[in-house]
Amino acid sequence: MDFESLRQGNFSSLGTAVNDWSSVVKSLTTMEKNARDDFKAKADKADWSGANATVTREFVTKTAGEFTDALTQATTIRDILRDTKDELVTYRDELNRAIEDGWAKKLSVVGTADNGFKVYVNVHPEPANSTQLVETLRDTLQGILNKATTTDSTAARVLRAIAEQADYGFSGIKHKDRDSAAEALQKADAMAKLAKNTKDMSAAELKEFIRTVGKYKNDELFAAQFATALGSRETLQFWADMADTHAGAKGPELKQMQELQKNLSMTLATATLSDADSMQEWKKNIVQESNTAFRTHPSDPFRNSGALGYQVMSSLMGQGKYDAEFLNAYGKKLLKVDMAPAGSPGMGTNEVWKGSGQTIDLVFGKDDGRDPMTGFMKGLSHNPEAAINTFNDKSVLDHVLESSKYTDRGSAVGVALEAAVTGVGNGELPTDPRPHTAEQVEIMKNVMYAVAQPDGGDRLVEKGLGESFGNMASAYMPEISQVMAGKGAESIFLTDSAAPNGLDKTDTTRFLYEVAQDKDGRAGIILGQTIYTSSLVEAHIADPSLFDGGPTQALRTISENAGVIQGVVGHANADAVITGEIASEEEQNEAVKQRGDYLKAIAGAGIGVGAVALAPGAAGAMAGAAASGYFGGIAGIAIDRFTESQEVDGAADRALYRTGRDLNDYEASANSQVQQAARDAMEKYNSDLPPDSTMNQIRDAVNDGWVKSDTVLEDVHGRPTS
């Protein structure tokens, strides 16, 4: 900023801009509230089906989110402008006071042609200390001018950076003032400079690097500036060098490196969300560098040949939500290499990466980073959109599943599949319904088909995928219930799925049977079924008009279906005992407890069990039930009863599923759960259903379903004999 601009500035235009942006913020606050509480809320409860239930609702959700981002960005811009105006006014006043003080000391100040200024003595003869007075005033004025220039230039840089983050829409960047935003950019430059000299980084500098990256990992301004200032190739080289320098880390050093890997992963993920031209180039170059070997000792021919860019980048995808377009582009190129070996899908994949010559351990944990698909799958697990895009290609899905049999990527593949079919990212606690799209149901159907294959499908469950398969079954209990019950039960088994009848009964039955032989998979199935059944019982008792046959007939169908599904699980468990593959009682109980804790958290989040076992909103009556608070209350009680092993009425000393081995226990417990859910709902809604005959009807229906499950299994799956 030049001298005269500050000295004469009234900054009225800047004040006008602040007022204008304040008006924008005020308007957006109202619009954002309306979009969230009216527009989106009505969409969640709308009586939609088919494409409207998924596509339109998703569009409304994203649009409402744009209003939130717009409000956040507008508030940030307003606050930065206001902060800048206030500071410049302060510096202008300081400058003029200093000039006036100088005048009192016989000093004058004038602007110069080069936008600077000159201080001179305006009396003759000059006072004895005039030289000192001139220098002091000059330094004071220059200091004020420097601070004003910093305010002006950093504000311009910050505002420009904010504008660059999104090509379309709004970035949602949030900073309380100009100083915090400017500091984020300055810190990013400093950390990028440190990262360019990894091997010379001192212990203190490394500690500061980890702390700073951790502090700003979710700050889009910092993240984008850090990544672009460092450069794409340099980012990959930095991590390869860091992993090599700290190879074999133990104790405090290991914890430090694990924290660094986590923070760096999240920072880079945040950076990819930016649409700035420099970040677009960074993402493009990362993909281009994926086949480059990053050597850590280039001058030593006897050291490792270097990890490939695929391996380095994937090892930094374990945390954070990476941009979907970036994951799609990166994954397309990675999968082309992973699927290159000739032969059956999945065969030869392990050799592609294990034989690459990479010897650096790129992951400070159980994995070693050699298989880049592991990190990529973890990246997909945090971005459902990218996961759907990947697994929507059946040839890719088949390959990834089959490759899990010959690699150690199974658990990572599992969480990626969970994200794809549920729409919920790994570790995310959903706060709104996530109705299944037709694409998602098709992916789930293809997964079930793969597991159902008699020539090795069960091996997938053994390769670390069992828990995820159980979680997926839990999320798809509405669709599973409809296919198991058959046509005509749609009004009973409520759902807002775009393809409620999209699964295959034979594959579904075999899938449930195979997955139920894994303790974690079994926990997901029985908890999901228990929660969905409890929710349905509550809904039909609370609102008898949901099904035109009335709650009595609905309860019978629900109960029989519960008997069928729990029967498949119970028989799978019993067969696992015969083959000697059953987990210990303690392990099974712990698996149930962990899954139950997660589902309980969702049930208490205000959406019932929407995102995992039930997504209310399809039928108008059901939407009303969801709005009235159904699906959370009785289901929450059911989770507690199940996980805490509350004793079954009339069966002294026999807790729910406590042994997990006796078929009689499974049948009795299934009966008890449905009956107790009905009792709870009847009491809660003052139902006029006759209690004794209702409980008897539930018992008969569950038992009928249980008997039926044995026949269903015999028709589709070979069984071991004792």
Side-chain angles (χ1 to χ4, degrees):
M1 175 170 287
D2 64 74
F3 175 76
E4 287 298 336
S5 294
L6 181 60
R7 183 182 186 181
Q8 305 298 333
N10 61 23
F11 305 112
S12 59
S13 59
L14 195 53
T16 300
V18 172
N19 292 334
D20 289 345
W21 278 101
S22 294
S23 298
V24 171
V25 169
K26 183 177 180 180
S27 298
L28 283 173
T29 299
T30 301
M31 287 188 281
E32 191 272 341
K33 185 178 186 301
N34 290 339
R36 182 184 69 251
D37 298 341
D38 185 34
F39 186 47
K40 182 178 182 300
K42 287 180 179 178
D44 288 342
K45 300 172 186 176
D47 184 9
W48 284 338
S49 60
N52 266 334
T54 52
V55 178
T56 306
R57 185 176 282 118
E58 180 182 3
F59 168 77
V60 170
T61 299
K62 288 186 176 181
T63 301
E66 281 291 309
F67 278 104
T68 300
D69 286 345
L71 174 59
T72 301
Q73 184 169 330
T75 302
T76 297
I77 292 172
R78 188 272 314 274
D79 291 348
I80 290 173
L81 288 172
R82 183 167 58 193
D83 189 38
T84 301
K85 173 184 174 292
D86 291 345
E87 286 189 16
L88 290 176
V89 169
T90 298
Y91 295 142
R92 179 201 62 191
D93 294 345
E94 284 183 13
L95 187 78
N96 286 318
R97 279 197 302 271
I99 292 172
E100 290 175 6
D101 291 343
W103 181 259
K105 297 173 184 177
K106 312 303 182 185
L107 302 176
S108 293
V109 181
V110 296
T112 60
D114 60 356
N115 297 323
F117 65 92
K118 181 180 179 180
V119 180
Y120 63 92
V121 181
N122 58 22
V123 296
H124 188 77
E126 296 182 2
N129 62 343
S130 61
T131 301
Q132 181 62 43
L133 290 173
V134 168
E135 291 178 354
T136 299
L137 180 56
R138 182 196 63 203
D139 292 346
T140 298
L141 296 177
Q142 189 61 54
I144 296 171
L145 190 58
N146 288 344
K147 289 188 290 184
T149 300
T150 298
T151 294
D152 186 43
S153 61
T154 55
R157 185 188 183 197
V158 167
L159 291 171
R160 190 177 298 112
I162 290 173
E164 288 175 349
Q165 300 310 310
D167 280 345
Y168 306 99
F170 306 90
S171 65
I173 290 176
K174 183 177 182 179
H175 275 279
K176 62 180 181 179
D177 52 37
R178 180 198 57 80
D179 286 343
S180 66
E183 182 182 26
L185 293 175
Q186 291 165 358
K187 289 288 186 181
D189 288 336
M191 294 307 103
K193 184 177 180 181
L194 272 180
K196 288 182 179 180
N197 298 284
T198 310
K199 296 180 185 282
D200 296 328
M201 193 182 292
S202 67
E205 288 173 330
L206 175 59
K207 185 176 181 180
E208 174 63 15
F209 183 90
I210 296 173
R211 188 196 70 80
T212 303
V213 174
K215 177 182 178 181
Y216 290 101
K217 61 182 178 289
N218 296 316
D219 188 314
E220 194 170 314
L221 276 183
F222 172 90
Q225 180 61 25
F226 168 77
T228 54
L230 180 55
S232 51
R233 184 181 182 90
E234 290 81 1
T235 299
L236 299 176
Q237 188 65 59
F238 164 73
W239 186 244
D241 288 341
M242 190 62 70
D244 180 67
T245 301
H246 296 272
K250 297 178 181 179
E253 183 187 8
L254 176 59
K255 290 183 179 180
Q256 183 184 49
M257 297 313 298
Q258 289 173 334
E259 183 181 5
L260 171 59
Q261 187 161 24
K262 174 185 176 181
N263 291 342
L264 183 60
S265 296
M266 295 184 73
T267 299
L268 295 179
T270 301
T272 63
L273 302 179
S274 168
D275 287 333
D277 291 344
S278 55
M279 269 309 301
Q280 297 285 39
E281 190 68 18
W282 185 92
K283 289 182 277 190
K284 178 182 177 182
N285 289 339
I286 285 289
V287 176
Q288 291 179 343
E289 296 283 0
S290 55
N291 205 36
T292 301
F294 288 85
R295 299 186 61 188
T296 55
H297 298 273
S299 61
D300 187 347
F302 297 103
R303 298 297 291 265
N304 66 77
S305 59
L308 295 176
Y310 292 116
Q311 296 166 317
V312 183
M313 188 65 236
S314 288
S315 70
L316 293 171
M317 287 184 170
Q319 301 288 336
K321 184 177 180 178
Y322 278 81
D323 173 61
E325 289 186 10
F326 171 68
L327 288 174
N328 292 341
Y330 179 83
K332 185 176 182 180
K333 190 172 181 181
L334 172 60
L335 282 161
K336 186 175 181 180
V337 177
D338 200 66
M339 298 170 69
S344 301
M347 294 290 290
T349 296
N350 210 41
E351 289 70 23
V352 171
W353 307 114
K354 297 298 183 179
S356 67
Q358 183 252 15
T359 58
I360 309 171
D361 187 344
L362 292 163
V363 178
F364 290 92
K366 296 179 180 179
D367 188 24
D368 59 15
R370 292 192 185 186
D371 182 357
M373 284 290 289
T374 298
F376 175 60
M377 289 292 120
K378 291 178 180 178
L380 291 181
S381 77
H382 296 292
N383 192 319
E385 179 185 351
I388 292 170
N389 291 338
T390 298
F391 295 122
N392 197 35
D393 184 333
K394 190 174 183 299
S395 65
V396 169
L397 176 62
D398 291 344
H399 165 79
V400 172
L401 283 171
E402 283 298 305
S403 71
S404 299
K405 298 177 182 178
Y406 312 104
T407 63
D408 297 321
R409 61 177 65 159
S411 60
V413 170
V415 290
L417 286 170
E418 282 188 64
V421 302
T422 66
V424 180
N426 186 26
E428 178 187 358
L429 185 63
T431 57
D432 57 354
R434 306 287 174 88
H436 301 149
T437 65
E439 281 182 320
Q440 288 175 302
V441 177
E442 184 67 18
I443 293 172
M444 185 65 181
K445 178 181 179 181
N446 290 334
V447 170
M448 286 182 160
Y449 175 81
V451 176
Q453 294 309 297
D455 55 348
D458 57 335
R459 287 181 56 198
L460 291 171
V461 181
E462 302 166 4
K463 294 294 291 186
L465 285 151
E467 180 178 4
S468 290
F469 286 155
N471 295 341
M472 291 156 66
S474 175
Y476 275 74
M477 205 49 66
E479 291 93 339
I480 289 173
S481 296
Q482 287 208 17
V483 74
M484 297 299 282
K487 296 286 186 181
E490 293 81 4
S491 297
I492 295 176
F493 296 104
L494 306 170
T495 178
D496 61 357
S497 171
N501 296 303
L503 303 180
D504 177 83
K505 184 173 183 178
T506 297
D507 290 345
T508 299
T509 304
R510 291 181 64 94
F511 174 83
L512 292 174
Y513 178 83
E514 301 297 359
V515 175
Q517 296 191 55
D518 175 89
K519 62 180 177 61
D520 295 306
R522 182 164 55 254
I525 295 172
I526 57 180
L527 273 167
Q529 190 279 323
T530 297
I531 292 168
Y532 184 56
T533 296
S534 300
S535 298
L536 289 175
V537 167
E538 179 180 7
H540 285 285
I541 289 177
D543 186 354
S545 67
L546 284 174
F547 175 60
D548 61 13
T552 299
Q553 188 175 340
L555 286 179
R556 164 142 193 106
T557 302
I558 293 168
S559 301
E560 182 175 346
N561 197 68
V564 172
I565 295 175
Q566 292 280 20
V568 171
V569 174
H571 285 96
N573 194 60
D575 291 349
V577 173
I578 295 173
T579 59
E581 296 177 357
I582 190 70
S584 72
E585 178 181 320
E586 182 179 353
E587 289 176 324
Q588 293 183 82
N589 289 342
E590 182 60 26
V592 168
K593 183 181 183 305
Q594 289 180 359
R595 188 61 188 158
D597 288 344
Y598 175 71
L599 292 172
K600 185 73 180 294
I602 294 175
I607 57 168
V609 288
V612 176
L614 180 64
M622 188 175 182
S628 301
Y630 305 164
F631 310 119
I634 303 305
I637 295 171
I639 297 170
D640 282 339
R641 185 185 303 118
F642 190 94
T643 57
E644 294 174 8
S645 296
Q646 181 176 314
E647 290 185 356
V648 181
D649 291 343
D653 301 322
R654 178 184 295 160
L656 288 173
Y657 294 92
R658 177 159 289 174
T659 65
R661 297 170 184 268
D662 193 309
L663 277 173
N664 291 329
D665 282 349
Y666 260 90
E667 185 177 8
S669 295
N671 224 320
S672 175
Q673 284 285 43
V674 182
Q675 288 181 346
Q676 193 58 53
R679 289 192 188 97
D680 291 339
M682 289 165 65
E683 180 179 349
K684 181 177 179 180
Y685 300 103
N686 297 317
S687 172
D688 58 3
L689 287 172
D692 291 342
S693 61
T694 299
M695 295 307 112
N696 186 62
Q697 181 190 47
I698 290 174
R699 178 185 59 80
D700 284 344
V702 170
N703 292 343
D704 287 347
W706 187 272
V707 172
K708 183 179 178 181
S709 71
D710 196 42
T711 303
V712 169
L713 269 177
E714 292 293 348
D715 288 342
V716 301
H717 202 295
R719 304 276 301 285
T721 56
S722 57

